[in-house]
Amino acid sequence: MKKLLAIFLAAAMCCTLLAACGGTSTEPADEGAADETTEALVYAVETGSAGEAAALEQGWEINSVDTQAKALMEVAAGTSDAAIIDLLMAGAMIGEDTSYPDMVLGDELTTEEYGAGCRQGSDLAAYINWVMAEAYADGTMGEIAATYGVDAALLEQAPMDEPEIAADGDVAYIQDKGVLIVGITDFEPMDYKDDNGEWIGFDADMAKLVAEKLGVEIQFVEIDWDSKIMELDSKSIDVVWNGMTLTDEVLNAMECTNAYCNNAQVVVLPG
C-alpha cells in the first residue's frame, strides 16, 4: 500500500515538486478543472480547512464536519455527494486496499504546501526548521516520508545552523516543563493511531524527532481544527503539526516553519 501511495503521489504532484517553499495558491490546477465537477453536488469539508475555502470560493454547497476523515464518512453514508480533502490523505484513504476502495478522485482544485505552526514570535518554529534541515541532510526525513508513502511530496530543506535558545523563549519554556504538546487531528498519513492506539504518521514521527532533540517527552492532543490559533495562544498546545496548509491566514496568525511537503485539495467521489 505504501508503494502504491508513493506512485500515486508522484504522478499526481510531479508538476508541483519544483515550487518554492513558503508559497500557497488557491487557484484551480487548470482553468477547466472546476467545470468538470457538477456544481449541484453537496461537498463534505472539514471546518476551517483549505478544502472548505476552495469550495466556498467556487460557490458550492457544503456540509461542514470537524475532520477530513468524517468528510469521507459522509460520502460513504450518502449524506454528502462528494468530499474535498487533502491529496495526501486521499492517497492513503481511497482506492484499492484502502478504507474506501470504491471511492475515486475527481478534480484537483488547488496546489499548496504544508508547514507546522507555533505561537506568533515563538522561537520553536526556527528550532523545528533546524531539526528538519538536519533530518533532511542525513536522510532521516526521507526515510520517515517513505514509511508513510509521502516521499514524492517531500520538499528540500536548506542547511542551517542550530538557532540560539533565548532564556525567555518557547524552546526554553518547553524544556523547562519537560513536554512538547502537539495539536493534531486524526489525519492519515500525517497523524493517526496504530493498532496499539499510539500516534504515528509523517508529522507525528517528525514531531517525536523534535521532542527528542529538545530532550523532552511528547504529548499529542486532538484539537478542534477551527480553534487551532486559540489553542496555541492559550498555551494549551505548543505547535500545530497536522498537514496544515500555509494559507495567508495561517501565516499571519502563527509563527510558521518552512514548508516541508507539497499538497493539493481534491474532490473525492463515490465510484
Side-chain angles (χ1 to χ4, degrees), residues 84-255:
I84 301 175
I85 64 171
D86 289 42
L87 177 62
L88 293 180
M89 184 179 197
M93 296 292 288
I94 73 167
E96 186 178 357
D97 297 326
T98 69
S99 300
Y100 299 98
D102 296 328
M103 291 188 188
V104 296
L105 280 180
D107 298 334
E108 183 176 306
L109 302 177
T110 68
T111 57
E112 56 202 36
E113 293 171 339
Y114 281 164
C118 309
R119 286 178 280 278
Q120 282 189 324
S122 174
D123 59 350
L124 179 60
Y127 191 90
I128 292 173
N129 284 339
W130 169 68
V131 174
M132 290 196 301
E134 292 287 298
Y136 187 90
D138 67 18
T140 302
M141 194 172 186
E143 290 175 3
I144 294 173
T147 298
Y148 298 103
V150 300
D151 41 319
L154 197 63
L155 288 168
E156 181 179 356
Q157 302 298 302
M160 62 177 291
D161 295 330
E162 182 176 359
E164 294 186 9
I165 298 175
D168 59 350
D170 262 2
V171 172
Y173 161 73
I174 292 163
Q175 289 178 324
D176 285 345
K177 66 176 178 168
V179 61
L180 173 69
I181 305 177
V182 184
I184 58 171
T185 66
D186 189 345
F187 178 27
E188 189 176 353
M190 311 312 281
D191 294 299
Y192 64 103
K193 288 183 177 180
D194 64 14
D195 294 340
N196 297 317
E198 299 295 325
W199 286 104
I200 60 172
F202 177 77
D203 285 351
D205 285 8
M206 287 300 300
K208 292 172 187 176
L209 185 59
V210 171
E212 181 182 334
K213 291 282 189 180
L214 286 167
V216 300
E217 299 296 320
I218 192 162
Q219 180 182 351
F220 294 101
V221 175
E222 288 190 82
I223 60 173
D224 177 348
W225 191 246
D226 212 25
S227 302
K228 55 188 176 293
I229 296 169
M230 181 184 68
E231 295 279 3
L232 277 174
D233 291 343
S234 67
K235 291 194 171 183
S236 297
I237 60 174
D238 299 310
V239 58
V240 176
W241 206 336
N242 193 76
M244 183 176 68
T245 302
L246 294 173
T247 62
D248 289 340
E249 178 186 7
V250 163
L251 291 167
N252 289 331
M254 302 181 190
E255 194 73 30

Side-chain angles (χ1 to χ4, degrees), residues 46 49 66-72 84-86 89 187 265:
E46 181 185 24
S49 69
D66 57 5
T67 68
Q68 294 189 51
K70 287 185 179 178
L72 291 176
I84 301 175
I85 64 171
D86 289 42
M89 184 179 197
F187 178 27
Q265 293 301 311

